[in-house]
Amino acid sequence: MSEMMDSSAAHHAFLGDEIVARINALGAISETPEHLARVFLTREHRAAADLILSWMRSAGMQAHLDAIGNVCGRYEGEVAGLPCLMLGSHYDTVRGAGKWDGPLGLLTAISCVADLNRRGRRLPFAIEVTGFADEEGVRFASTLLGSRAVAGTFVESVLGTRDEAGVSMREAMLQFGLDPDHIGAAARAPSELLAYLELHIEQGPVLEKLNLPVGVVSAIAGATRLAASLTGMAGHAGTVPMVLRRDALAGAAECIVEIEEFCRTDEDGLVGTVGYIHAMPGATNVIPGEVSFTIDIRAPTDAHRKLAVTDIVRRIENIAKRRKLSLQIDVTHENRTVPCAPWLKSQVAEAIAREGFRVFELPSGAGHDGMAMIDIADIGMIFVRCRGGISHHPDEHVETSDADAGARVLLRLIENFRPRGAAGGAS
Ligand code: HGY
Ligand code: MN
Ligand code: MN
């Protein structure tokens, strides 16, 4: 591995403008014009994939859609076939999303490769950029489907899960033009990757409070998602006395307040969210007989999160019992807390310092594809400041100067990257 020259001499073009223009172009690809939503295996997914693949190719990469709908670009090193530094992020969104969560990391990586290509710069390793097709898990409850396929850890049973319209993932893949029995082809071998590195918006207020444009991510917090359903007795809103009711929605409401109170009074960073609820039959003058809702629990450590989940389930069981409601509650998805590799954190910190910024390390409360990619590579993350820490909301925003700061740090890291254990690199 030749000694990497410091890329400070090779000044790159201001990448912020190109990144922001593409964020806006991609952000216009949505289920509805009013609220940004770009969900797995939909028309919007296909349109976004085509646009991103075109940007990858114009950046000098070979690009293709893989077996689960990820977009994959490769920029060869000094010779063809070298192991790669994989960059990436996701290009699906939540509903009512901002346009930066996911795309900023993906488009910054593509612009960095385009800058290398413009300068005819080839490195002693390949660079791959992967846009993951489903990090958010909006459509089929389980998240990280794209990165799990790349890591070879996709769970086949997820193919049977159905979306709100009753379409299974298997059917949706066939409609999209992908073969659900071929997902295994997306898997990569650990030997092909030197590391996985993701740039992402912070989705929190810390960098803004410290007046820093970028930060080093220390770890990604784990998460547990549960699906709960309460069944009581539907009835006439006008004739059933209150004492005789088994109102599933009132029961769910008590559960939601209990979850909020339990997490709010916790002193170790526990957070709990009920993001979705559906009451049936859903008529004004009918007592709800059945309610389903989701629960998302996170904490800085896995032990604390797991204890909290056990306690919360017990509290929900007690409420159901007291209200004579039947309860079904299942864990639909669980991600462990994953650390960023120290040898990558130090190279992120070095690149941040060389770009003239103060180095600050912070954890991620939000989940990311690195939680899946850690099964085949060490992971590193760069955070970029976002306005007010707002995310998963249309007001999500990144200043162009911060988008450029993130690109400068990523590009410097790429050009000075030393694989684990290489001369001059931390091990
Ligand atoms: O839910 C999360 O933390 C991520 O945005 N998927
Ligand atoms: Mn997100
Ligand atoms: Mn994200």
Side-chain angles (χ1 to χ4, degrees):
M1 181 69 62
S2 58
E3 259 313 294
M4 303 299 295
M5 71 165 203
D6 183 343
S7 73
S8 51
H11 183 70
H12 72 284
F14 184 86
L15 299 180
D17 289 336
E18 175 180 75
I19 293 166
V20 170
R22 289 178 170 178
I23 286 279
N24 292 327
L26 193 55
I29 301 178
S30 170
E31 201 172 271
T32 64
E34 297 78 27
H35 306 291
L36 174 55
R38 191 166 55 243
V39 170
F40 186 41
L41 300 175
T42 59
R43 276 196 311 273
E44 298 77 45
H45 173 179
R46 170 70 68 185
D50 291 344
L51 183 57
I52 297 164
L53 289 170
S54 71
W55 288 333
M56 286 180 162
R57 291 177 184 124
S58 65
M61 288 189 263
Q62 294 295 317
H64 69 283
L65 197 75
D66 77 1
I68 197 168
N70 299 322
V71 286
C72 307
R74 182 173 168 95
Y75 183 75
E76 289 297 351
E78 290 158 346
V79 294
L82 293 172
C84 75
L85 169 60
M86 186 178 282
L87 313 173
S89 194
H90 59 97
Y91 67 107
D92 65 314
T93 74
V94 292
R95 294 197 187 286
K99 54 192 173 186
W100 303 82
D101 169 12
L104 178 66
L106 179 53
L107 299 178
T108 300
I110 294 172
S111 286
C112 285
V113 171
D115 189 77
L116 292 171
N117 188 44
R118 273 194 290 273
R119 290 186 276 130
R121 187 90 206 275
R122 294 282 170 178
L123 300 164
F125 48 87
I127 297 173
E128 291 195 17
V129 179
T130 305
F132 297 108
D134 182 76
E135 184 269 348
E136 300 287 4
V138 165
R139 188 170 180 185
F140 297 109
S142 191
T143 75
L144 309 177
L145 297 181
S147 41
R148 286 188 196 284
V150 171
T153 56
F154 176 82
V155 177
E156 295 285 322
S157 59
V158 174
L159 287 169
T161 52
R162 295 185 179 278
D163 65 10
E164 285 173 359
V167 177
S168 71
M169 182 179 165
R170 173 176 290 279
E171 291 156 353
M173 284 192 73
L174 291 167
Q175 287 163 14
F176 189 82
L178 291 170
D179 176 356
D181 296 323
H182 194 57
I183 287 176
R188 306 297 296 276
S191 59
E192 296 179 85
L193 281 80
L194 297 170
Y196 172 71
L197 186 62
E198 179 168 350
L199 179 142
H200 199 287
I201 55 170
E202 179 200 341
Q203 300 178 294
V206 174
L207 291 177
E208 186 176 64
K209 281 213 180 359
L210 296 170
N211 193 25
L212 293 173
V214 290
V216 186
V217 178
S218 56
I220 307 170
T224 301
R225 285 187 183 185
L226 302 103
S229 66
L230 288 167
T231 306
M233 179 72 175
H236 196 298
T239 58
V240 181
M242 294 308 284
V243 289
L244 297 181
R245 295 186 178 198
R246 289 192 295 124
D247 182 332
L249 186 49
E254 186 177 349
C255 293
I256 293 167
V257 171
E258 180 78 16
I259 292 165
E260 183 192 50
E261 187 59 16
F262 180 78
C263 295
R264 206 177 55 73
T265 52
D266 178 272
E267 290 166 3
D268 291 324
L270 183 68
V271 287
T273 312
V274 174
Y276 171 87
I277 188 165
H278 181 61
M280 289 163 282
T284 306
N285 59 350
V286 180
I287 301 163
E290 194 171 335
V291 170
S292 56
F293 59 95
T294 61
I295 307 168
D296 179 314
I297 303 291
R298 310 193 196 194
T301 68
D302 291 341
H304 189 45
R305 170 169 51 84
K306 289 181 178 177
L307 282 174
V309 168
T310 305
D311 203 329
I312 285 168
V313 169
R314 188 175 47 75
R315 289 160 184 259
I316 292 173
E317 286 167 344
N318 291 342
I319 291 169
K321 195 169 167 204
R322 177 164 38 80
R323 285 174 168 264
K324 298 187 180 63
L325 301 172
S326 63
L327 168 68
Q328 177 65 39
I329 185 163
D330 301 297
V331 171
T332 56
H333 155 84
E334 186 145 48
N335 272 325
R336 65 208 187 287
T337 298
V338 297
C340 292
W343 69 275
L344 278 171
K345 285 197 296 183
S346 62
Q347 294 193 37
V348 171
E350 189 185 304
I352 289 175
R354 284 187 173 177
E355 283 301 329
F357 302 118
R358 181 160 70 87
V359 175
F360 183 79
E361 188 171 308
L362 68 166
S364 174
H368 301 286
D369 286 299
M371 300 170 105
M373 293 301 288
I374 198 163
D375 284 329
I376 55 169
D378 282 349
I379 66 165
M381 285 195 75
I382 303 168
F383 265 172
V384 173
R385 169 172 53 190
C386 57
R387 188 176 58 197
I390 295 169
S391 183
H392 285 190
H393 187 281
D395 290 348
E396 189 180 271
H397 179 73
V398 172
E399 298 305 328
T400 304
S401 55
D402 284 351
D404 186 67
R408 288 189 359 235
V409 168
L410 183 60
L411 186 54
R412 183 180 289 272
L413 202 163
I414 293 167
E415 293 196 82
N416 293 279
F417 176 71
R418 282 101 57 210
R420 183 177 192 145
S427 56

